[in-house]
Amino acid sequence: MTGIPHDLRDTEVDRDTVERRLAETWRTRRGFWGAIATVDHKIIGRRYIVTAFVFLLLGGVLGLLMRWQLATPEGRALGPDLYNQVFTMHGANMMFLFAVPVMEAMAVYLVPLMVGTRNIAFPRLNAFSYWIYLAGGLLLWVAFALDMGPDIGWFGYVPLSGPQYAPGKRADIWAQMITFTEIAALAVAVEIVVTVFKQRAPGMTLDRIPLFVWAMLVTSFIVMLAMPAIMVGSTSLILDRLVGTHFFNPAEGGDVLLWQHLFWFFGHPEVYIIFLPATGMISSMLPAFVRRPVFGYLALVLSMVTIGILSFGLWVHHMFTTGLPRLGESFFTASSMAIAVPAGVQIFCWIATLWDGRPVFRTPFLFILAFFFTFVLGGMTGVMVASVPLDTQVHDTYFVVAHFHYVLIGGAVFPLLGAVYYWYPKIVGRMMSERLGRWVAGLIFVGFNLAFFPMHILGLQGMPRRVYTYQADLPWGPLNMFVSLSSLMLAAGFLLFFIDAVRSARSGPPAGDNPWDSPSLEWATTSPPPPYNFARIPVVTGPSPLWENRDELPVASGLRLDRREIVITSVADAVPEARESSPRDSLWPFWAALTTSVLLIGSIFSPWAVVWGSIPVAIALIGWFWPKGTPEDEA
Amino acid sequence: MKRRAALVMAVAMLVGCQREQRDLRLDPPVAAALDQVAPTANGIGGAPPDVYVALGGPYESNAYNLGEGKRLYTWFNCKGCHADGGGASGPALMDGWWRYGADPVSLFVSLRDGRPNGMPAYRDKLTTEQIWQLVGYVQTIGMASATTAAPSRNDEMQSRPAENRAPAAADLPTPPSR
């Protein structure tokens, strides 16, 4: 540090020195404690993504176990008790530990790069978020390994999950796991909103924001408005079970239906928390494969915002069979069907983009096509179950299972897999195999449809959800066997995907900065990006910056090199407003997450854990926020 | 360090398994052997069956069995005489003072064979396993300290703190002297 002027700016030295000095300022220290302390959004995002995919793998194995059990009538693979745990784990794991976190993980990695900044807002909160998420996932899976896995369904309906009918700690594990993932998700949501509003590159006005970033912005607002409902719900449930409160006890003035309202006020927006990022991925990937900007930017943004708003007005369609007033049922039927309008607008915008483009059939594009077919089918059955008479008929049958797997896998996992193939070279620096990729896309698309389409028929034939077996004289045997065999094909596709992802990390062909010739900012830096993302902050002059400035991107300069510094811009026009420091690495988020985890897990066993556990949490937070006298602490 | 972690893990697994395990269908020979209690001549106290010991006393520390016991307590109208543990025409159960012994074997014999002055025999109405489940539950009613395995409140009007919030008896007057 000696010999360097205190306030070193990037305008004073040549490019090599800028990069060397930035690398030193932004680098993550080597070794175990360096890895724990890092606040680099790329490292944390990578961890987040890998962890989420591990949970996908585990959840997929559970799905296969269920198909093994259901392949034949009176199956003997799993007992009823284990089956209850397995389907609950599958649902809870896929929704809370895979689908929501993986979308946020992609955003943690990509959003700062796409808006052209050097780190996510509140990077230490970001580190905290990952550790909390990891602890929640470990809690659930360790409990499952100890035969303590929740067995109440991923929705945890009372009174079945309540104190009277769910003995032991299984339901508490589920409820507390929710608390973990909610904290993690809320933290990321706050970071993304601030990053998108205040850290965009100069010139990236609202109508030049990449559509994935728009999608994550809307999603983050949904997270912030929806997650508190489930936190209230799961906390009330724990209090009922542990302390003996009466939130859900009708005899003492509580309300059983209150749980369903709280849960689905979160649970329905949750579907869009998963789906909107996927639509953003589609919109951001499409231009690279049809060689033109996406059609109807404004319409796409507005339909995403519309979906975000409407998503809070249709939770009751999960409760049509609970005997609610007719007027309520009619209202929520109408609002549920209304959401098909903005979803349809998006589909037509993408079709128009394809129509006018010159498609390049690479693996990510294949997944986009798979998405169109599958998601539209799932959307159609969605409109069907939005109508009360049909919903009453198929409620709690495999028809619903088929419907939501079509929208969740077709609507979110297909785009996600495409996104992994698309952004993998940026994250790893190497390409995934195109040959294997085609196999993966084909196996997963065909396997998925063969495995899940017959479930529609099974549902219409009356096969209920969540049953661990069925009798031989019921007409469901052959179709179930077909479904189970097809699920092996789907599993083979995923296995190939994991093999490809792991193998390409070592031996894939080097990617270069912009292998797809894409127009957005994340491709303006090296693959993988350096710790500081951009040596000089890019200046955006249009909606497709890398296509409009083929030779050289205009950049902003004047930032300090001797401390972590980012550019703050105005919300609407992205006019530079200030240079702001960005926090350096710290161990305190890890300690805070650890102490919080001890508190939350302890509270399953004794309410006193909340009292005594808050002391270490307070110490960790004081350590976290104590001024350290680093250059980053200067105003 | 690694060995210690493995040890902690193993203990946690044992404890977790013990408390959370759910045996939905008991092995028939085990169920039959569970009936082989050896009470003393006056029917109070005695030796539990060997298999009970071998199983590790699962009816006192297993959450599922305790929960089942609580259900049976309602289904077989134990409430009719003992109320929610406070006692009515039958004696109170929550004061920790038992006329015919508080140990599992005495309670098992009380439930299976009945006792003088009103306690009916349940040997023809309940299976051996169910009697043991009730024994475990009835013990938690009179427990002096909380246990994490005990069931929590029912979805009904409350007359006493939940079993897992024990001791409920602290609010009661001291038991009568004999």
Side-chain angles (χ1 to χ4, degrees):
Chain A
M1 283 302 208
T2 48
I4 293 158
H6 169 64
D7 191 353
L8 184 68
R9 302 293 183 91
D10 57 7
T11 39
E12 299 162 25
V13 286
D14 59 58
R15 183 163 175 110
D16 283 349
T17 319
V18 167
E19 287 180 2
R20 194 168 43 78
R21 295 287 305 157
L22 279 176
E24 194 171 313
T25 306
W26 287 87
R27 80 189 173 93
T28 292
R29 280 187 303 122
R30 287 178 174 281
F32 177 73
W33 292 110
I36 298 276
T38 186
V39 295
D40 185 338
H41 76 98
K42 295 178 293 300
I43 297 177
I44 293 168
R46 220 160 51 200
R47 276 179 200 163
Y48 236 125
I49 294 170
V50 170
T51 314
F53 271 97
V54 168
F55 286 131
L56 171 73
L57 186 68
L58 290 170
V61 170
L62 294 182
L64 283 179
L65 277 177
M66 284 190 281
R67 285 322 312 174
W68 186 17
Q69 162 70 14
L70 291 178
T72 52
E74 309 267 15
R76 291 281 186 94
L78 308 172
D81 181 47
L82 187 57
Y83 189 87
N84 287 351
Q85 290 187 57
V86 166
F87 83 69
T88 304
M89 287 290 295
H90 175 78
N93 171 75
M94 289 303 202
M95 293 301 272
F96 294 111
L97 298 180
F98 167 66
V100 174
V102 82
M103 295 301 176
E104 299 198 313
M106 295 295 277
V108 163
Y109 195 98
L110 291 171
V111 164
L113 287 165
M114 289 177 120
V115 301
T117 186
R118 283 178 176 164
N119 204 349
I120 201 165
F122 313 127
R124 289 183 181 175
L125 187 64
N126 196 27
F128 175 78
S129 162
Y130 173 74
W131 297 121
I132 284 284
Y133 160 64
L134 184 66
L138 286 177
L139 167 69
L140 187 70
W141 278 94
V142 168
F144 181 61
L146 298 181
D147 205 9
M148 257 168 97
D151 55 356
I152 51 175
W154 82 276
F155 37 80
Y157 274 8
V158 290
L160 268 182
S161 63
Q164 185 171 357
Y165 296 103
K169 295 295 169 197
R170 294 175 169 189
D172 302 293
I173 301 270
W174 175 83
Q176 209 60 301
M177 179 275 296
I178 300 228
T179 313
F180 277 96
T181 51
E182 309 302 274
I183 294 175
L186 282 168
V188 174
V190 171
E191 296 153 24
I192 288 174
V193 168
V194 175
T195 309
V196 176
F197 275 165
K198 295 307 290 179
Q199 289 185 210
R200 299 200 310 275
M204 188 183 277
T205 51
L206 287 182
D207 57 352
R208 293 172 184 171
I209 299 179
L211 281 161
F212 177 68
V213 176
W214 260 116
M216 286 315 303
L217 180 68
V218 177
T219 305
S220 300
F221 275 107
I222 303 180
V223 168
M224 285 192 275
L225 295 171
M227 297 270 176
I230 185 68
M231 259 171 119
V232 168
S234 65
T235 307
S236 311
L237 179 64
I238 289 203
L239 285 172
D240 262 22
R241 294 176 49 84
L242 187 67
V243 190
T245 54
H246 298 282
F247 291 106
F248 305 117
N249 177 5
E252 290 278 13
D255 189 346
V256 175
L257 218 50
L258 171 66
W259 170 263
Q260 295 195 23
H261 281 295
L262 286 174
F263 185 82
W264 289 116
F265 189 77
F266 144 82
H268 200 81
E270 158 103 342
V271 175
Y272 297 97
I273 292 170
I274 296 165
F275 172 62
L276 277 181
T279 65
M281 288 169 179
I282 300 272
S283 301
S284 284
M285 286 189 284
L286 259 187
F289 298 101
V290 297
R291 313 307 307 156
R292 59 150 287 160
V294 81
F295 175 87
Y297 179 93
L298 183 64
L300 281 169
V301 171
L302 286 180
S303 56
M304 284 196 284
V305 175
T306 311
I307 288 177
I309 294 169
L310 279 180
S311 71
F312 285 97
L314 29 84
W315 79 94
V316 171
H317 70 211
H318 296 269
M319 303 162 59
F320 278 158
T321 56
T322 55
L324 292 166
R326 279 290 158 78
L327 185 65
E329 292 188 342
S330 307
F331 175 85
F332 283 99
T333 293
S335 62
S336 306
M337 290 182 175
I339 207 150
V341 175
V345 168
Q346 286 189 305
I347 298 276
F348 282 115
C349 283
W350 291 323
I351 291 177
T353 313
L354 289 176
W355 199 290
D356 194 43
R358 284 161 290 139
V360 184
F361 288 88
R362 305 288 296 274
T363 309
F365 190 63
L366 296 181
F367 276 108
I368 294 175
L369 295 180
F371 157 84
F372 283 140
F373 179 81
T374 318
F375 177 71
V376 168
L377 227 163
M380 295 291 186
T381 51
V383 176
M384 287 166 76
V385 290
S387 91
V388 177
L390 197 117
D391 183 76
T392 312
Q393 193 64 30
V394 297
H395 186 79
D396 270 351
T397 70
Y398 264 83
F399 190 87
V400 178
V401 176
H403 159 68
F404 69 69
H405 280 96
Y406 262 82
V407 283
L408 289 175
I409 297 186
V413 177
F414 285 180
L416 176 72
L417 293 177
V420 169
Y421 272 91
Y422 179 71
W423 276 297
Y424 189 91
K426 179 51 62 184
I427 297 173
V428 180
R430 293 174 185 278
M431 305 291 288
M432 285 174 80
S433 159
E434 189 65 26
R435 193 170 57 86
L436 276 182
R438 284 167 194 273
W439 273 102
V440 170
L443 279 174
I444 288 184
F445 176 68
V446 176
F448 169 80
N449 278 288
L450 289 182
F452 284 92
F453 192 83
M455 288 188 190
H456 290 112
I457 302 165
L458 279 172
L460 290 174
Q461 286 177 346
M463 179 165 166
R465 294 168 72 177
R466 308 178 200 119
V467 288
Y468 86 101
T469 193
Y470 50 93
Q471 280 67 46
D473 49 353
L474 292 164
W476 310 329
L479 264 186
N480 268 305
M481 176 57 90
F482 180 77
V483 166
S484 294
L485 289 177
S486 308
S487 70
L488 288 178
M489 188 171 174
L490 180 59
F494 273 103
L495 186 67
L496 214 55
F497 166 77
F498 282 110
I499 290 174
D500 191 12
V502 172
R503 222 182 49 169
S504 302
R506 282 206 204 133
S507 56
D513 291 0
N514 190 357
W516 313 105
D517 188 24
S518 306
S520 48
L521 278 185
E522 76 269 28
W523 304 100
T525 179
T526 56
S527 313
Y532 47 87
N533 289 356
F534 301 95
R536 289 196 164 88
I537 302 297
V539 173
V540 177
T541 54
S544 308
L546 298 197
W547 285 355
E548 285 140 14
N549 307 286
R550 286 252 170 219
D551 308 325
E552 200 169 10
L553 213 56
V555 290
S557 56
L559 290 174
R560 274 172 67 170
L561 300 176
D562 58 336
R563 71 166 191 170
R564 296 184 176 186
E565 211 163 65
I566 54 176
V567 178
I568 298 294
T569 54
S570 62
V571 174
D573 297 329
V575 177
E577 287 178 328
R579 294 179 292 118
E580 177 67 55
S581 67
S582 180
R584 55 171 55 194
D585 293 3
S586 167
L587 279 174
W588 287 109
F590 175 74
W591 296 125
L594 195 70
T595 50
T596 309
S597 305
V598 169
L599 183 156
L600 289 178
I601 295 175
S603 72
I604 295 176
F605 299 95
S606 165
W608 285 102
V610 178
V611 177
W612 300 119
S614 64
I615 295 170
V617 173
I619 293 171
L621 291 181
I622 290 169
W624 183 338
F625 295 111
W626 201 266
K628 312 285 193 307
T630 58
E632 279 78 6
D633 283 342
E634 297 163 22
Chain B
M1 183 65 194
K2 226 173 214 174
R3 195 188 293 172
R4 192 183 299 168
L7 194 72
V8 169
M9 198 69 192
V11 170
M13 275 182 84
L14 276 175
V15 174
C17 288
Q18 172 76 338
R19 199 184 63 228
E20 296 291 335
Q21 211 171 41
R22 297 188 185 191
D23 226 342
L24 298 187
R25 185 173 174 276
L26 215 52
D27 210 10
V30 174
L34 272 173
D35 197 40
Q36 309 299 315
V37 288
T40 52
N42 63 358
I44 297 173
D50 293 341
V51 64
Y52 184 89
V53 181
L55 289 173
Y59 298 99
E60 294 160 67
S61 52
N62 179 283
Y64 172 70
N65 284 328
L66 291 175
E68 289 296 293
K70 181 166 187 173
R71 236 197 263 207
L72 294 167
Y73 187 84
T74 306
W75 285 357
F76 284 82
N77 199 30
C78 306
K79 289 187 175 195
C81 302
H82 300 283
D84 283 335
S89 61
L93 304 175
M94 64 201 290
D95 55 8
W97 188 82
W98 307 80
R99 292 181 192 188
Y100 296 105
D103 59 297
V105 173
S106 306
L107 289 171
F108 181 85
V109 173
S110 296
L111 280 159
R112 187 186 63 180
D113 304 336
R115 294 288 185 186
N117 301 325
M119 175 72 192
Y122 282 90
R123 78 166 72 75
D124 298 331
K125 300 186 180 69
L126 295 169
T127 65
T128 308
E129 187 190 14
Q130 287 173 325
I131 296 179
W132 278 116
Q133 287 171 335
L134 259 173
V135 167
Y137 170 67
V138 165
Q139 280 185 305
T140 64
I141 300 182
M143 206 157 272
S145 60
T147 148
T148 52
S152 186
R153 65 157 179 80
N154 273 355
D155 285 333
E156 53 196 36
M157 294 289 283
Q158 307 294 300
S159 58
R160 46 164 299 212
E163 289 82 343
N164 66 350
R165 294 263 57 81
D171 301 333
L172 293 172
T174 46
S177 56
R178 198 186 282 257

